């Protein structure tokens, strides 16, 4: 595992994003074939927090992401992890479902959105500048690579679901982003 961790720490893609692949975080295989999004590129981005322990190292984040996938698959009976991407405290972007795959993160928006989860609980904690920068890079790259609609609408999960996600502190941050929309 330590050799894998070393290679992850030194591998930043040409996009400036440190992607951690499903192979690298040792994802379980999905139970069934995954379903493509209804709209490609998707017109929505939903920002979520995982309400788990915050992580700052690759090893901590891998353990968190594996735990989230296990909970989604065994506890909630999902086909796979529910998020398209997850962002760790060091700014690493974990590939959950990836692009063009329907998530299980926000009822009513799973079929036409990217679900991006910040690892941690942001009701009282703050997202790191590395997390914020990684999310912004991911969004810009997704648009540039036609994996996200140019005029996409970005929302916190709380705007379309009866919960407090992505947490008060993170919600304040995303409300200042270019594509944030107050209503769906």
């Amino acid at each position: 595992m330590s050799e894998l961790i070393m290679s992850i720490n030194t591998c930043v893609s040409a996009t400036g994003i440190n992607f951690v692949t499903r192979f690298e975080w040792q994802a379980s295989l999905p139970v069934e074939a995954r379903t493509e999004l209804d709209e490609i590129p998707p017109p929505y981005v939903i920002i979520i927090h995982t309400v788990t322990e915050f992580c700052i190292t690759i090893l901590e984040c891998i353990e968190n992401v594996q735990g989230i996938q296990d909970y989604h698959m065994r506890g909630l009976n999902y086909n796979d992890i529910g998020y398209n991407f997850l962002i760790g405290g060091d700014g690493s972007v974990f590939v959950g479902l990836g692009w063009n795959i329907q998530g299980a993160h926000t009822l009513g928006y799973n079929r036409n959105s990217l679900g991006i989860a910040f690892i941690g609980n942001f009701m009282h904690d703050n997202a790191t500048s590395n997390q914020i920068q990684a999310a912004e890079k991911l969004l810009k790259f997704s648009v540039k690579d036609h994996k996200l609609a140019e005029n996409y609408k970005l929302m916190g999960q709380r705007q379309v679901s009866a919960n407090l996600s992505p947490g008060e502190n993170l919600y304040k941050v995303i409300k200042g982003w270019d594509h944030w929309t107050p209503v769906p």
Side-chain angles (χ1 to χ4, degrees):
M1 179 77 127
S2 62
E3 289 175 12
L4 180 60
I5 301 304
M6 293 290 290
S7 70
I8 294 170
N9 282 327
T10 58
C11 181
V12 176
S13 72
T15 63
I17 301 168
N18 183 24
F19 284 108
V20 180
T21 66
R22 288 177 61 90
F23 173 78
E24 290 170 326
W25 64 263
Q26 301 174 342
S28 296
L29 294 174
V31 175
E32 298 172 357
R34 299 183 301 173
T35 305
E36 238 183 41
L37 290 170
D38 286 352
E39 296 180 62
I40 298 175
Y44 295 101
V45 172
I46 308 296
I47 302 294
I48 306 143
H49 68 159
T50 60
V51 195
T52 60
E53 289 295 316
F54 182 77
C55 61
I56 197 74
T57 69
I58 291 288
L59 187 55
E60 290 172 341
C61 291
I62 285 173
E63 289 175 4
N64 279 6
V65 173
Q66 289 172 339
I68 292 165
Q69 184 188 39
D70 187 60
Y71 173 68
H72 283 183
M73 292 177 75
R74 294 174 200 245
L76 299 176
N77 208 28
Y78 292 174
N79 184 44
D80 198 342
I81 195 165
Y83 310 122
N84 298 91
F85 296 95
L86 301 93
I87 302 177
D90 67 342
S92 294
V93 176
F94 290 78
V95 178
L97 300 169
W99 290 282
N100 301 335
I101 302 298
Q102 188 178 129
H105 52 80
T106 309
L107 190 61
Y109 286 84
N110 291 324
R111 300 170 80 174
N112 62 353
S113 70
L114 283 182
I116 300 175
F118 282 63
I119 300 173
N121 184 337
F122 301 99
M123 285 305 294
H124 303 290
D125 295 332
N126 293 312
T128 66
S129 59
N130 288 335
Q131 282 179 299
I132 302 300
Q133 290 169 8
E136 290 171 338
K137 287 178 185 177
L138 177 62
L139 293 169
K140 285 179 185 170
F141 172 74
S142 297
V143 169
K144 183 179 177 186
D145 207 38
H146 309 290
K147 297 177 185 306
L148 182 61
E150 236 178 272
N151 61 344
Y152 71 91
K153 293 178 180 173
L154 181 135
M155 297 175 284
Q157 189 184 45
R158 66 172 53 190
Q159 293 175 254
V160 292
S161 184
N163 65 50
L164 299 175
S165 185
E168 197 58 39
N169 292 335
L170 184 54
Y171 186 60
K172 288 176 188 174
V173 171
I174 70 168
K175 284 171 52 175
W177 290 358
D178 288 341
H179 288 265
W180 181 78
T181 185
V183 287

